[in-house]
Amino acid sequence: IRPMFATKTPILEVHLFDFHKAIYGDTMSVEFASYLRPEGRFKDEKELIRQMDEDAANARKTFLTSV
């Protein structure tokens, strides 16, 4: 629900590592590989970005070890 920005409807955001094509408007399937952390609020956007960077590093580790 993106508690940092108070959205009213749930949103799924997907980051595609090392992918550089324009695919806006295309349809894709998403499969959950593992659970990283619960949603949360952060003191500011800088802290949110730090957490997103950590999440990306952890996701890469998960993906690389599960392939």
Side-chain angles (χ1 to χ4, degrees):
I1 58 171
R2 300 177 71 183
M4 187 74 180
F5 299 103
T7 57
K8 293 181 181 181
T9 56
I11 296 172
L12 175 66
E13 295 179 273
V14 177
H15 181 84
L16 304 174
F17 295 118
D18 308 317
F19 186 84
H20 306 288
K21 292 184 180 180
I23 59 171
Y24 283 97
D26 290 355
T27 300
M28 68 181 347
S29 296
V30 176
E31 182 177 324
F32 294 98
S34 70
Y35 183 81
L36 291 176
R37 65 173 174 83
E39 292 181 307
R41 288 185 183 264
F42 300 91
K43 65 180 181 178
D44 54 31
E45 287 185 23
K46 183 178 178 181
E47 185 65 22
L48 171 62
I49 291 168
R50 186 205 59 75
Q51 182 63 59
M52 289 169 57
D53 289 342
E54 186 177 316
D55 291 345
N58 288 333
R60 282 180 184 270
K61 286 178 196 172
T62 298
F63 179 73
L64 292 175
T65 59
S66 67
V67 172

